[in-house]
Amino acid sequence: MKKISTAVQTTVAYQKCLNLDCAETFPVDETLTACPSCGSLLDVQYDWDRLPVPGSLKEFESRWANRNQPLDFSGVWRFRQLLPFAPDDKIVTIGEGQTILQQAHAVGKYVGMGAGNLHLQYEGLNPSGSFKDNGMTAAISHANMVGATSAACASTGNTSASLAIYASSSQMFKVFVFVGSGKIAYGKLSQALDYGSKTLQLLGDFDDAMARVKEVAGPAKIYLCNSINPFRLEGQKTIMYRVLEALRWEVPDWIVVPGGNLGNSSAFGKAFLELKQLGLIDRIPRLAIINAAGSNTLYRLFQEQGLRWNNGRPDQELIERFYTQMDADGRRAATLATAIQINRPVNLIKALRALDACDGVVRQVTDQEILDAKAQIGAGGFGCEPASAASVAGARLLRAEGVIAPSDRVVCILTGHQLKDPTVTVAYHTPQSESSRKLLAENEITTTAYANEPIVVENDYDKILKAVRGL
Ligand code: F0G
């Protein structure tokens, strides 16, 4: 593979407004989070004809051997020819993306798949414990390109943990994270605090925090690192490259992913569209985006109200009417899967493009289904946080509906590590305790069928031996 010179790089990559009636373009080294002309989302685009794209995806594998080169070691930047917006010397990497795809037999059985057909992509193995690091390395590299000195995000917890680790390890940025008060799992809050980020606990939820950070970032000249930032999504494309790599470059039948702010699903769709356009894959897998039933904007709009990408002209009035009604009803997002407790997904339009490209479907799953699936994922050898388990719960639902066939090859994305939210895990497995009972009841969890309850035993040799023999 040829190297791209820095000069070429900044002209072959550009930002483009997603709104077809506007479609304005902007240089890659401008800091924008929305089109200045019409306010729509921006995309990063490339003039692929002028870029040295590899003849085959297999070429990326050769970089595996080059582990003493930080950019080749990174599971994101190993694929840098497919996200060529940053000169090598501006890239900030902490070795993200060393994640694995594993055939999950026990979980596959739970989902209803044929033997060997369910795969779990374990993004919890990233440095900050979630998939966000794939995107954050890209956003922070872009921040470095444009000379930013401070950065911010709103977060349900993982974005803030990720931004915080990149800021503290690079020592290049002052970081502000905005979180909803009481709406963030402790594992994640502890990360932002421990990594030294300025943490603003807003008296509101994620949607409030997101709206505020957008307002404040411009005037305060702070670089915004939410997935509204198109460079973040460039990094998240690589999750799909690694899935393909692990499948020896064979395209699976389904990718199943939880939907919150819809950054991941948008990035996955873009990844497959580009790979197809470049002739590097011959077909695109189907995409299933899974909402929590308590924060199901995409499900309602796409599945119930028929909102579609519509060749780049989705029905904006339908979306506005939906949000006006949501506010009039006072409906706020509510789910135990706090990572995806979001009612105004910023990447809604890009997710519609992804659904269109991938012949996608959207489903919603209850917190009960999420927690049951999470317990099965844990028992199957791969722990995850509640939001991640929505993917497996969703696959199970699609299997029961017959949309997914037992013979399909399915990849569920486990987006975040098990230790992010121990409170919910412990509550599920100790349903009799006072605090668990309260938490489960408040969230309408009526059964804990897969609970692995601890056995209370007196501090006595005989009683312990008896207890062990009885297990
Ligand atoms: N899973 C986990 C563990 C997450 O943290 C998130 C999003 C999602 C799924 C949803 O992904 O937004 O790309 O649809 N967490 C964000 C945050 C919003 O602030 O950490 P998405």
Side-chain angles (χ1 to χ4, degrees):
M1 244 183 293
K2 276 182 289 178
K3 209 167 169 346
I4 319 167
S5 81
T6 306
V8 174
Q9 200 140 22
T10 44
T11 56
V12 291
Y14 54 96
Q15 305 183 70
K16 185 173 180 192
C17 175
L18 202 65
N19 173 1
L20 290 185
D21 296 321
C22 172
E24 238 188 281
T25 60
F26 307 92
V28 75
D29 50 6
E30 227 173 281
T31 308
L32 298 164
T33 46
C35 172
S37 304
C38 73
S40 297
L41 291 171
L42 294 168
D43 237 355
V44 182
Q45 293 285 336
Y46 307 99
D47 193 351
W48 294 111
D49 291 341
R50 295 168 59 208
L51 284 162
V53 176
S56 145
L57 283 168
K58 284 199 173 113
E59 288 184 32
F60 290 106
E61 266 181 60
S62 59
R63 289 197 170 137
W64 270 355
N66 214 6
R67 300 182 74 80
N68 56 350
Q69 292 293 332
L71 297 193
D72 289 347
F73 175 72
S74 164
V76 171
W77 300 107
R78 181 161 83 240
F79 300 99
R80 55 197 177 278
Q81 267 76 7
L82 297 173
L83 51 151
F85 68 84
D88 287 2
D89 62 350
K90 295 291 180 191
I91 290 174
V92 181
T93 174
I94 56 172
E96 56 287 318
Q98 310 305 322
T99 64
I100 52 171
L101 184 83
Q102 186 166 304
Q103 249 178 351
H105 297 290
V107 184
K109 210 167 158 198
Y110 173 71
V111 169
M113 300 303 302
N117 288 341
L118 184 79
H119 294 73
L120 299 177
Q121 173 69 11
Y122 193 33
E123 290 299 312
L125 287 176
N126 273 292
S128 80
S130 88
F131 75 88
K132 301 285 179 182
D133 297 344
N134 293 284
M136 203 53 72
T137 180
I140 284 295
S141 298
H142 184 252
N144 190 25
M145 269 171 77
V146 299
T149 54
S150 60
C153 69
S155 185
T156 54
N158 281 325
T159 303
S160 50
S162 183
L163 176 56
I165 196 175
Y166 278 89
S168 59
S169 61
S170 68
Q171 296 283 310
M172 281 161 49
F173 308 94
K174 183 171 184 181
V175 158
F176 304 90
V177 308
F178 288 50
V179 298
S181 56
K183 309 278 182 184
I184 173 171
Y186 258 34
K188 306 174 189 183
L189 179 61
S190 69
Q191 289 179 287
L193 298 175
D194 212 32
Y195 291 131
S197 292
K198 307 275 171 225
T199 305
L200 281 85
Q201 282 193 300
L202 216 81
L203 301 177
D205 63 11
F206 172 82
D207 292 317
D208 297 320
M210 187 67 233
R212 292 298 181 196
V213 79
K214 274 201 289 184
E215 281 172 4
V216 172
K221 296 207 174 1
I222 300 174
Y223 187 91
L224 191 57
C225 288
N226 280 99
S227 56
I228 203 165
N229 176 331
F231 296 95
R232 248 204 49 198
L233 300 194
E234 290 306 289
Q236 287 171 218
K237 292 188 307 190
T238 64
I239 301 172
M240 290 301 102
Y241 306 153
R242 295 197 299 274
V243 164
L244 294 180
E245 190 174 50
L247 294 174
R248 310 308 303 159
W249 307 110
E250 283 178 21
V251 178
D253 297 303
W254 286 93
I255 301 289
V256 190
V257 63
N261 235 354
L262 303 177
N264 250 351
S265 37
S266 300
F268 298 174
K270 187 169 188 283
F272 289 120
L273 274 171
E274 288 173 350
L275 290 180
K276 185 85 189 332
Q277 182 196 343
L278 294 171
L280 293 168
I281 53 174
D282 54 9
R283 71 183 178 93
I284 290 180
R286 296 191 70 185
L287 178 69
I289 306 177
I290 314 299
N291 271 166
S295 59
N296 59 357
T297 294
L298 182 68
Y299 176 76
R300 287 185 192 223
L301 280 171
F302 182 87
Q303 215 61 47
E304 292 184 348
Q305 302 192 23
L307 179 69
R308 291 294 182 273
W309 168 240
N310 192 26
N311 290 318
R313 291 192 171 76
D315 186 344
Q316 292 289 350
E317 277 175 31
L318 175 62
I319 300 171
E320 274 153 39
R321 270 202 312 277
F322 178 86
Y323 285 138
T324 306
Q325 190 62 48
M326 188 175 88
D327 291 341
D329 295 346
R331 205 150 40 77
R332 309 299 300 194
T335 168
L336 266 179
T338 51
I340 52 174
Q341 188 167 267
I342 295 170
N343 259 0
R344 276 189 155 74
V346 296
N347 287 300
L348 175 64
I349 306 295
K350 285 185 179 172
L352 293 176
R353 177 175 65 183
L355 287 162
D356 183 73
C358 303
D359 188 15
V361 297
V362 181
R363 290 293 182 272
Q364 61 173 356
V365 289
T366 63
D367 283 1
Q368 178 76 60
E369 290 166 320
I370 288 175
L371 291 199
D372 287 341
K374 188 178 115 53
Q376 289 287 313
I377 295 162
F382 252 152
C384 69
E385 66 168 281
S388 313
S391 61
V392 169
R396 187 168 193 250
L397 177 64
L398 288 164
R399 188 46 223 103
E401 289 175 0
V403 177
I404 290 180
S407 56
D408 285 347
R409 203 183 215 188
V410 175
V411 175
C412 291
I413 313 300
L414 297 185
T415 46
H417 199 282
Q418 183 185 43
L419 296 177
K420 291 279 190 174
D421 191 354
T423 312
V424 171
T425 307
V426 172
Y428 186 90
H429 291 294
T430 60
Q432 305 305 334
S433 87
E434 188 58 35
S435 57
S436 303
R437 258 213 300 272
K438 187 161 173 282
L439 188 140
L440 297 172
E442 276 170 9
N443 292 282
E444 293 170 27
I445 305 298
T446 53
T447 66
T448 49
Y450 307 109
N452 177 30
E453 292 189 51
I455 295 110
V456 180
V457 57
E458 277 175 49
N459 187 10
D460 174 279
Y461 175 83
D462 291 325
K463 289 191 174 140
I464 294 171
L465 200 61
K466 193 169 166 227
V468 169
R469 284 195 172 132
L471 289 177

